Amino acid sequence: MTGFSKGRHKVEVALKWDPSPTGTAPTDLDIIAATFDARDPYGAPAYLVHFDSRSPDGTIFLNRDSTDGRGFGWDEVMTLEVDRLSERYGRVVVGVVIQQQPVHRTFSGVLNPAMRVREGYTVLSEDDFTAVHDATAATIAEFVRNDSGEWIFHPGVHGFQEDPESFTRVMGRAQ
């Protein structure tokens, strides 16, 4: 059956973790979205969205940011209104990076990390980063515009051994 699919529209990506034990350095995880030009979907990102930034057209923005995991429920939340993105863009990759200051951490050193991707009340993906426990960053979602202009979601958690700055340069590589 074709013609009835509406693709993805407004998606929420959420991240949570427990605070570090008292007396230890705080744990800070960040959600990052990289938007790619349709003509070069695996090249350099056209732009990035992370803490203290939003997309130029306001279609991707961080609703909630935590530097220590002391939020109620989901500590970081990003909204992606992919259906409003310009036709110029054909791919969006969402990742999570662990800030490496003041101590080096991998996902195994983060207490109870979890991620969720949902549209409305429908959960599209959930994960606890167990498969990438030795990674310092991970991609967690990919949205690709198909030939009909609909946005298709590709789930999957893929680990990286990168610091926050270098992760933004490699997170869009083909998996």
Side-chain angles (χ1 to χ4, degrees):
M1 200 185 286
T2 61
F4 293 104
S5 174
K6 296 181 182 175
R8 298 289 159 223
H9 298 281
K10 185 176 181 178
V11 179
E12 176 190 272
V13 177
L15 180 63
K16 68 179 176 178
W17 67 98
D18 290 343
S20 298
T22 303
T24 63
T27 304
D28 184 6
L29 279 66
D30 288 312
I31 298 174
I32 301 172
T35 303
F36 298 88
D37 193 286
R39 293 171 298 180
D40 192 12
Y42 294 93
Y47 63 84
L48 299 169
V49 178
H50 49 81
F51 62 92
D52 292 336
S53 75
R54 64 185 306 157
S55 63
D57 58 4
T59 58
I60 303 173
F61 53 93
L62 195 63
N63 305 57
R64 187 175 309 146
D65 179 37
S66 174
T67 58
D68 57 14
R70 294 177 194 248
F72 294 103
W74 297 97
D75 298 304
E76 297 226 352
V77 179
M78 181 177 278
T79 299
L80 299 92
E81 296 181 44
V82 291
D83 63 326
R84 290 185 45 230
L85 276 169
S86 166
E87 290 181 10
R88 171 183 173 208
Y89 305 111
R91 183 169 174 251
V92 178
V93 177
V94 181
V96 175
V97 65
I98 304 169
Q99 293 293 332
Q100 297 299 314
Q101 298 296 326
V103 297
H104 177 78
R105 281 202 174 91
T106 63
F107 284 105
S108 64
V110 177
L111 298 176
N112 300 313
M115 57 73 64
R116 176 186 71 200
V117 179
R118 72 178 186 173
E119 185 170 31
Y121 293 107
T122 303
V123 174
L124 304 173
S125 177
E126 287 183 306
D127 199 279
D128 63 3
F129 299 97
T130 301
V132 295
H133 66 279
D134 287 335
T136 57
T139 56
I140 59 173
E142 177 185 45
F143 300 90
V144 178
R145 191 187 306 259
N146 68 15
D147 293 338
S148 302
E150 299 169 342
W151 285 93
I152 308 303
F153 170 63
H154 297 282
V157 177
H158 305 281
F160 292 79
Q161 296 294 332
E162 305 290 337
D163 61 55
E165 186 176 326
S166 61
F167 178 60
T168 62
R169 292 191 300 269
V170 301
M171 66 186 280
R173 288 183 186 161
Q175 296 294 324

